[in-house]
Amino acid sequence: MLFHVDQVASILKEQNVGTHMDQETDRVALDSRACSYRTLFIGILGERVNGADFLEQALQKGANIAILQTPEQSYKAIEYKELANIYKAALFLVPNAVHALQKLAQSYVQRFPHLVKIAITGSAGKTTLKELLYSILSEKGETVATIGNLNSETGLPLSCFNIKAHHKYAVLEMGTNRAGEIEELVQVFPPNYAVITNIGTAHVGRLGSKEAIALEKRHIFDLLGPRDVAFIPQKDQFASLLAENVRSRVVFCSASTLKRFEHAQDMGLDGWIIYYHNCKIRFTLAGRHNLNNALLAIEVAYQIGIKPYVIKAGLEQIRPLSSRSEVIHGRITVFNDCYNASPESMRAALALMAPLRYARKIAMLGEMRELGPESNEIHASLASSIIEAGLDAVFLLGVRMKSLEMRLREIGYLGQIFPCSTYEQAEMALINFLKDDDLLLIKGSHSMGLERLIQSLENCGFLWPGGKREVSVV
């Protein structure tokens, strides 16, 4: 049982306006389609959809407690009460359904005082670091982690409800695209170990500047106490700002500060061999940025008290997630990193291409979103990284890529440029251009839908169905 209706009333300090008091719930859902027997349904008022409009569908599927935002029209409240009574469900009408969700999750987390809580935020690398820590900590004890990218004002509270009494560790991501969001999330999930991976330009269009992003991200440290630990990237330009007024111990992280780290051997698309504390760790994620993620995971695990051989076992279990640093083989080789894109991750992916030797090196790059008024210049700034990567051709998808196309032509890029306004145009041009033994990078914002290319490349015979990377043991 997650909640009895009396607990919900006490936590929210709201009156049950339904007549059914003896209800218990096993799970929480924001989508009526995800409801089943004994579900607590919370109807969120979104920008395009009001969850309250799906109350009846939720009740039909078995929801027995519902929390809705108090409607402006009084007749709507009467309708909600009538539906709740028909289905014998408890009903709460609250000023803000998102805050109600967060209060319930906050109360739920407090049931586990001995849980070791790790929170991660940053402009890039959150999910990778979460997966690395989850793998390492799972070698030591039962661990729960964010599923997918449930790291928002609603996603993180939902992730909290996955915590159970047998869990020793919880590793949750905290994302943000507005001021004040991290501050809310740490109230729900106050960490013992809080990590900022980096400060980049993702969501700069919403928050206004990189400094504003740094000020928002550092709220992850707000509730840390003297026995807790804050992890800050040592070489970040905002490292000093992030450390201001932190009440816990601060660890500034980099390869040079990690104790007992010897060196790392670059294995190209097959990842790295990391030499740490007399351990030879075979780490399969390619790229300097993923090495940095691994070293950060080692630092966090070390501070938690995890032994080197356990860290080695955890890191060697890691395989690329779909569309994240994923290498796929066939008649061509694909480096599929199209789950999302920021200027920093774009440069990191292009840098990975530079030392690789293939018949031809090609990139399909989709535009980046939420970069604000500097978007055109940020896109154009990728031109130097493309040249340094030694690409033979670039396919540029989206109107925001026009500035990058112009910059490449201005500085005399010798490769071929294929500007594309639609996905269909880009797919056709790419497939007509590809030849055996090419290396293809796929990178762009998630909303560009570039993951569709993988199926198309399989259908055309360039990739073997299911031909994911097979990692050799070194």
Side-chain angles (χ1 to χ4, degrees), residues 261-375:
F261 169 60
E262 299 163 23
H263 70 281
Q265 181 181 351
D266 191 349
M267 305 297 291
L269 290 180
D270 285 331
W272 300 85
I273 300 176
I274 300 172
Y275 295 88
Y276 166 70
H277 207 292
N278 299 320
C279 291
K280 181 181 177 181
I281 302 171
R282 183 71 176 88
F283 180 63
T284 63
L285 302 190
R288 176 68 57 176
H289 58 301
N290 280 320
L291 173 64
N292 292 337
N293 287 329
L295 298 182
L296 180 52
I298 292 171
E299 181 70 85
V300 176
Y302 168 79
Q303 295 294 337
I304 292 173
I306 308 301
K307 300 296 185 182
Y309 68 90
V310 179
I311 294 174
K312 168 183 166 68
L315 288 180
E316 290 188 340
Q317 293 294 320
I318 289 295
R319 295 295 181 270
L321 298 174
S322 177
S323 300
R324 295 179 188 266
S325 299
E326 180 185 31
V327 179
I328 309 174
H329 293 301
R331 288 165 48 204
I332 64 172
T333 299
V334 174
F335 186 70
N336 181 23
D337 198 34
C338 67
Y339 183 81
N340 217 333
S342 66
E344 293 77 18
S345 65
M346 277 280 198
R347 293 188 185 97
L350 289 166
L352 170 64
M353 304 282 280
L356 302 179
R357 296 291 176 262
Y358 280 79
R360 297 187 305 177
K361 295 190 290 187
I362 302 159
M364 169 66 77
L365 304 179
E367 66 182 32
M368 300 172 285
R369 303 287 173 83
E370 297 184 4
L371 295 180
E374 302 299 319
S375 178

Side-chain angles (χ1 to χ4, degrees), residues 425-438:
Q425 179 188 4
E427 179 186 289
M428 182 176 295
L430 176 67
I431 288 173
N432 288 334
F433 183 78
L434 287 172
K435 296 179 181 179
D436 287 2
D437 301 319
D438 284 344

